Amino acid sequence: MGTSSRSWRTYPRPPLQHSRFRYRGHVKFIPPRYMSSFLEDDEDKEKPCAPESDDGYFPGKENWVKASKYPVPSDVESGVVMDEDEVIKQRPDDVEQGEVGDSDDDEEDYGILTYIPNYQKYKKSVLDVMGKDGGRTWRLALSVLLLVLYFIYFIAVLITNQEKTENYWCDGAGFLIIITLFVAIGLVYFQIIKRYFGRRLYKQVIKPVSNFCSSFWEKLVIRIIVYAVIVLAIIIFLSVDASHEPERLRSISGLLLLILFGFVFSKAPRKINWSQVLWGMGLQFALGIIILRWDVGKGIFKCAGSKISTFLAFTDDGSGFVFGYLAVGEKTVFAFQVLCVIMFFGFVVQILYYLGAMQWIVLKLGWLLQSTIGTTACESVNAAANIFLGQTEAPLIIKPYFSMMTKSELHAVMTGGFATIAGSVLAAYITFQIDAAHLLSASVMSAPAALAYAKLFYPETGKSRTSVKDIQVTKGTESNLLHAAVNGVTSTIPLVASIAANLVAFVAFVAFFNAVFNWSCILVGAEDGMCTLENVMGYVFMPLAYTMGVPWEECEKVGELIGTKTIVNEFVAYLNLAAMKKENLLSERAQVIATYALCGFSNIASIGINLGSLGAMAPDRRGDLAAVAVRAMIAGSAACFMTACTAGMLISGGDVALQAVNAVNGTVI
């Protein structure tokens, strides 16, 4: 090939970083004939390059284009040489005028400080002193200043509050000491120990200990001995602790009957991993002892319940301002008083999500459940999320993994939603004068119970493909804190509307059914009011209520509540419980056991809610979700009943008597 049609010239190497036509996300190809005018190093202009043809081609042009990490415009591939005006005209539409350049740092500063003489000079001097990490230095200085101010405030509080009152550790300066201690421990751990010594501690201490424990636990004899010791310790504890209250031991029979029911009707009885079932029940029992029997644990949950009730009571200020006497006063309207609490709670939860606090708590609790019970990451994280969130919100955390989950994992996810309640509706139940501490206890204790019963009722036959490390939870996508708060409120509007609509429809339908049923019974000689849905459900669930530890004379009433919760929903059931409580139809023990038994979304209507929400998240798994939905609802109900049995075993007569005294005195427990 001759050189008559080509002219030998000197061209520079194509350093893209020198092009002034580089802009965000894209770099237009600058033909070599124009590149020399943009070079900063004159020596590059003299380096010879291959000849260029008349059509703009030069050898090596393909390699240059392929080596670039930026997308290749069509004019490069076609070999068309563009003028400078054409290059600017054909830039992408998303690049606005004025954005051409390497960065936005060259924008002129028009702030208020520019009125200061020689401001630019002072600004440059400060930036030179602070270096590239100037923003980090400012944040560090601000953090130190706030820390010093808080320390001064903390010392002042200790000086002015030296006398310890009755509620010193919950309402006095002791509560501030506890918060300060937790924050200090967290800062030391995350900012010092984990950052500078984390890897060394993991390699030299945690990993060797973990490997030793794993190898030790793999021995069958060791596992049998440990399980036998734990079971024997529980039996001895209950025999001694409940020796003067034999009715508490009746709750053990209810727990055993529920386990037997789950085993007989299990999807794959031979595949049951009894280690997961026993660890889940053991963790539930341990939480029950801490919450219900240990004085410190009881104090913590009483204080937490009191603080939550006080916090939610601030809703009255907002609802009273908007709705007046309809929301605040002696004769209030349900929709304006109770449902407003859900809006306020959603407001707060969304802020915590934006800050990343809720995600952090959920992941840590999920890791704890996975480490103790042995369930998979998705199951554990979802169960932890269900403590705070509802059956439709909690699965959003593991939404990307639905397509990879086994049917057993899907069943466990749905069971967790059926066995717990959302924090927003829990706030509404507290306004019914339902014990806040027991509602919190039920939410926490039902999480491991749901995993245990899910693995009993639908054992794992496959292999999980996810771990906690694979689950990455990001912060909220809102632009700022105010945006997150507004989204939190607006997101509760459909929930509030759904609750109100369901209550209207279901209460009306139950009244209609009772009227027809009662009329048909009157025709055959029955007394008026004898034949109602509540009475039928009461008789059906009487044996279950008795095995949970409810006195026999009150089993019919508790059975009515359980039937209402299963057929209608738990919202109506808690309303009925509040009415029975006000009329003194139930003893304190029956009220407590009923509170635990009703604390879950396991009702027929929730099956449709679960299928609709989860099916929208994973359209390719709708068939599998529908196949396990009914089983999951039954498993969720059984998990709630297991929690009620555990509470029946651990709550003594002295405890419920003290609760009655506190209730009379107006103390929230």
Side-chain angles (χ1 to χ4, degrees):
M1 180 172 57
T3 60
S4 58
S5 61
R6 302 187 181 186
S7 58
W8 286 91
R9 306 174 187 175
T10 59
Y11 294 107
R13 292 192 303 268
L16 295 178
Q17 67 272 17
H18 292 297
S19 171
R20 70 185 180 97
F21 297 111
R22 173 182 176 181
Y23 43 88
R24 189 179 305 166
H26 195 76
V27 175
K28 282 293 185 181
F29 173 75
I30 308 301
R33 64 178 64 182
Y34 299 120
M35 184 62 75
S36 61
S37 61
F38 304 133
L39 294 177
E40 297 177 358
D41 191 354
D42 293 338
E43 295 180 0
D44 287 337
K45 297 181 181 181
E46 303 300 327
K47 294 179 181 179
C49 188
E52 180 185 16
S53 63
D54 294 336
D55 59 356
Y57 175 85
F58 66 95
K61 179 178 180 179
E62 300 88 347
N63 295 333
W64 177 21
V65 172
K66 291 178 181 179
S68 174
K69 65 180 180 180
Y70 301 97
V72 181
S74 58
D75 58 277
V76 174
E77 297 178 354
S78 60
V80 178
V81 179
M82 295 188 300
D83 294 331
E84 180 176 341
D85 295 337
E86 294 176 343
V87 171
I88 296 177
K89 288 179 181 179
Q90 296 189 21
R91 62 186 174 187
D93 296 335
D94 58 336
V95 180
E96 299 178 359
Q97 293 291 340
E99 290 190 349
V100 177
D102 290 337
S103 66
D104 297 334
D105 296 337
D106 298 333
E107 292 184 0
E108 192 72 23
D109 187 357
Y110 297 105
I112 189 67
L113 295 179
T114 56
Y115 285 103
I116 301 176
N118 299 323
Y119 165 72
Q120 296 295 340
K121 180 180 178 181
Y122 298 145
K123 178 181 177 182
K124 185 176 183 303
S125 301
V126 172
L127 293 177
D128 291 341
V129 171
M130 297 179 65
K132 296 182 179 180
D133 296 333
R136 183 179 180 183
T137 304
W138 278 112
R139 289 193 297 270
L140 180 61
L142 181 61
S143 300
V144 172
L145 177 62
L146 293 176
L147 185 62
V148 171
L149 293 176
Y150 179 79
F151 181 76
I152 296 172
Y153 168 77
F154 183 72
I155 297 298
V157 170
L158 295 181
I159 293 174
T160 55
N161 295 269
Q162 296 183 1
E163 296 183 2
K164 291 187 177 181
T165 59
E166 183 180 356
N167 295 323
Y168 179 78
W169 294 106
C170 185
D171 298 327
F175 189 69
L176 181 65
I177 294 174
I178 294 174
I179 294 176
T180 304
L181 183 62
F182 271 100
V183 173
I185 293 174
L187 289 176
V188 170
Y189 173 74
F190 289 105
Q191 299 299 326
I192 298 177
I193 297 178
K194 187 175 182 179
R195 176 177 293 184
Y196 298 105
F197 307 101
R199 292 186 178 180
R200 186 181 303 175
L201 287 173
Y202 177 77
K203 291 181 179 179
Q204 298 180 2
V205 180
I206 299 176
K207 190 174 182 180
V209 172
S210 177
N211 293 336
F212 173 77
C213 293
S214 299
S215 60
F216 187 74
W217 187 250
E218 288 177 356
K219 299 178 181 179
L220 180 61
V221 178
I222 300 298
R223 294 202 300 272
I224 293 175
I225 294 175
V226 171
Y227 289 142
V229 169
I230 293 175
V231 172
L232 184 62
I234 292 175
I235 293 175
I236 294 175
F237 168 78
L238 291 175
S239 301
V240 174
D241 189 62
S243 58
H244 59 289
E245 295 176 300
E247 66 273 8
R248 288 170 51 191
L249 299 177
R250 193 168 66 245
S251 300
I252 300 178
S253 63
L255 197 62
L256 295 177
L257 286 174
L258 290 170
I259 297 299
L260 179 62
F261 175 85
F263 174 75
V264 171
F265 294 98
S266 175
K267 182 70 174 178
R270 299 185 61 180
K271 286 290 186 178
I272 295 175
N273 186 343
W274 287 104
S275 175
Q276 294 178 343
V277 177
L278 294 176
W279 273 107
M281 295 174 59
L283 183 57
Q284 182 193 35
F285 188 80
L287 289 172
I289 292 178
I290 293 173
I291 296 170
L292 301 175
R293 299 296 297 168
W294 188 31
D295 291 339
V296 176
K298 287 194 293 184
I300 291 173
F301 270 78
K302 287 178 182 178
C303 181
S306 175
K307 295 299 180 184
I308 291 177
S309 298
T310 303
F311 175 72
L312 295 175
F314 290 109
T315 309
D316 294 341
D317 295 330
S319 58
F321 176 79
V322 176
F323 301 113
Y325 68 92
L326 296 174
V328 181
E330 296 182 358
K331 296 182 179 180
T332 59
V333 178
F334 172 83
F336 299 110
Q337 182 191 32
V338 176
L339 298 184
C340 290
V341 177
I342 299 176
M343 296 183 180
F344 181 49
F345 193 85
F347 173 92
V348 176
V349 168
Q350 194 62 34
I351 290 177
L352 294 177
Y353 252 95
Y354 172 76
L355 297 175
M358 186 65 71
Q359 295 92 315
W360 185 86
I361 294 173
V362 165
L363 285 179
K364 295 305 177 184
L365 288 177
W367 172 84
L368 176 64
L369 292 175
Q370 185 185 25
S371 302
T372 53
I373 301 176
T375 47
T376 62
C378 289
E379 296 167 336
S380 304
V381 171
N382 179 79
N386 276 311
I387 298 175
F388 310 98
L389 306 175
Q391 57 185 338
T392 58
E393 297 90 353
L396 290 173
I397 296 178
I398 57 173
K399 178 182 176 182
Y401 309 97
F402 268 102
S403 59
M404 299 185 293
M405 293 170 64
T406 63
K407 292 181 72 173
S408 177
E409 288 177 314
L410 293 175
H411 176 265
V413 168
M414 298 184 77
T415 301
F418 285 123
T420 55
I421 58 175
S424 54
V425 294
L426 181 143
Y429 302 151
I430 293 175
T431 63
F432 298 165
Q433 303 304 314
I434 305 298
D435 195 290
H438 287 310
L439 285 172
L440 289 175
S441 305
S443 297
V444 175
M445 292 171 60
S446 292
L451 289 176
Y453 210 87
K455 291 303 160 186
L456 173 68
F457 214 44
Y458 203 120
E460 182 63 80
T461 56
K463 186 176 180 181
S464 176
R465 292 183 287 172
T466 61
S467 66
V468 171
K469 294 181 179 179
D470 298 325
I471 300 178
Q472 302 295 330
V473 182
T474 59
K475 294 184 180 181
T477 57
E478 294 84 0
S479 58
N480 52 43
L481 202 65
L482 182 61
H483 187 196
V486 172
N487 280 354
V489 175
T490 55
S491 64
T492 61
I493 294 177
L495 175 61
V496 170
S498 175
I499 292 174
N502 276 279
L503 286 175
V504 171
F506 276 101
V507 171
F509 177 77
V510 170
F512 164 74
F513 181 86
N514 287 340
V516 175
F517 188 30
N518 186 53
W519 172 75
S520 62
C521 290
I522 292 175
L523 294 179
V524 294
E527 295 183 8
D528 186 15
M530 286 294 296
C531 296
T532 61
L533 181 64
E534 291 84 353
N535 291 339
V536 173
M537 291 295 103
Y539 288 118
V540 170
F541 287 102
M542 274 184 69
L544 176 62
Y546 183 73
T547 58
M548 288 192 297
V550 177
W552 177 253
E553 60 273 12
E554 299 173 311
C555 286
E556 183 180 352
K557 295 295 182 184
V558 176
E560 290 179 11
L561 296 174
I562 296 174
T564 302
K565 176 242 186 181
T566 305
I567 302 299
V568 185
N569 57 45
E570 78 292 336
F571 214 99
V572 177
Y574 273 121
L575 278 173
N576 294 342
L577 175 60
M580 292 181 184
K581 187 176 181 180
K582 186 178 296 185
E583 297 175 6
N584 294 322
L585 298 178
L586 295 176
S587 64
E588 293 295 327
R589 178 174 178 81
Q591 291 178 26
V592 172
I593 294 176
T595 300
Y596 284 86
L598 302 180
C599 195
F601 284 132
S602 47
N603 56 73
I604 296 175
S606 291
I607 296 177
I609 296 174
N610 249 307
L611 288 177
S613 60
L614 298 182
M617 297 180 199
D620 57 324
R621 304 302 301 273
R622 284 176 176 167
D624 294 334
L625 291 169
V628 302
V630 176
R631 276 187 166 272
M633 195 273 286
I634 298 173
S637 296
C640 295
F641 301 151
M642 287 175 61
T643 304
C645 290
T646 304
M649 286 188 289
L650 296 175
I651 293 176
S652 65
D655 293 332
V656 295
L658 177 61
Q659 292 164 10
V661 171
N662 288 330
V664 171
N665 294 333
T667 303
V668 179
I669 299 177

